[in-house]
Amino acid sequence: MTVATGPAASAGGRRRNVAASLAGRAWGVLSAYLFLPFYLHFLGVESYGVVGFYAVLLGVMAVADLGLTATLNREMPRLTAAGAGPGELRDTTRTIESVYWMASLALGAAVVAAAPWLAGHWLGARRLPVEELQSAVRLMGLALAFQLPTSLYQGGLLG
């Protein structure tokens, strides 16, 4: 059995990778439309709207990243290549991490504090009890505050 090597083998592998990537993305987009009727049937329109509200909050929080994840992702390999020691890598990570945690906690606390207004006036649900919506929005704020820093750590690890 012969194994192909060289440019022809790598070109075929790249084509398969690109095709698999495109197929995965197409399935992601298609599944969003295929499963929407099931979501609406099982959750109801208002509950699905609350899920959509959380998705919007995640998007807003991603903008609040302010490029810190990309900065950490870029700085880790740069410092390593420059011969920086573990202390300098740790200090850089801690500096960016502290700013990121403060922003995450502040934004999460703002969502938790605004939960009564968001649930009562902004979401405007008619069938869902306002108390349950307030609890859900508060949990969203807490989840955002602690979920957002994971992207920073992923960026640092990838760097």
Side-chain angles (χ1 to χ4, degrees):
M1 180 170 136
T2 60
V3 176
T5 59
S10 63
R14 280 183 288 199
R15 285 189 192 113
R16 277 194 305 276
N17 287 343
V18 169
S21 178
L22 288 175
R25 287 178 185 246
W27 172 249
V29 170
L30 184 63
S31 67
Y33 294 107
L34 287 176
F35 294 113
L36 181 62
F38 296 108
Y39 294 146
L40 290 174
H41 174 73
F42 290 112
L43 292 175
V45 174
E46 287 186 349
S47 296
Y48 186 73
V50 173
V51 173
F53 174 69
Y54 181 65
V56 168
L57 283 177
L58 281 174
V60 168
M61 295 294 260
V63 171
D65 176 86
L66 302 173
L68 292 174
T69 299
T71 301
L72 186 62
N73 186 287
R74 184 183 62 246
E75 285 301 306
M76 289 296 111
R78 187 187 69 77
L79 289 171
T80 303
E88 190 172 351
L89 291 170
R90 184 181 56 247
D91 291 345
T92 301
T93 302
R94 286 291 166 180
T95 301
I96 294 173
E97 178 186 46
S98 62
V99 171
Y100 207 91
W101 269 104
M102 285 188 294
S104 294
L105 291 174
L107 290 170
V111 171
V112 169
W117 181 80
L118 290 170
H121 301 300
W122 204 62
L123 290 175
R126 290 184 171 80
R127 293 186 181 161
L128 295 174
V130 174
E131 296 81 23
E132 285 185 23
L133 275 176
Q134 286 179 6
S135 296
V137 172
R138 284 187 181 111
L139 288 173
M140 288 177 199
L142 288 172
L144 289 172
F146 294 108
Q147 184 178 359
L148 210 66
T150 60
S151 65
L152 178 72
Y153 297 127
Q154 286 175 343
L157 288 173
L158 289 174

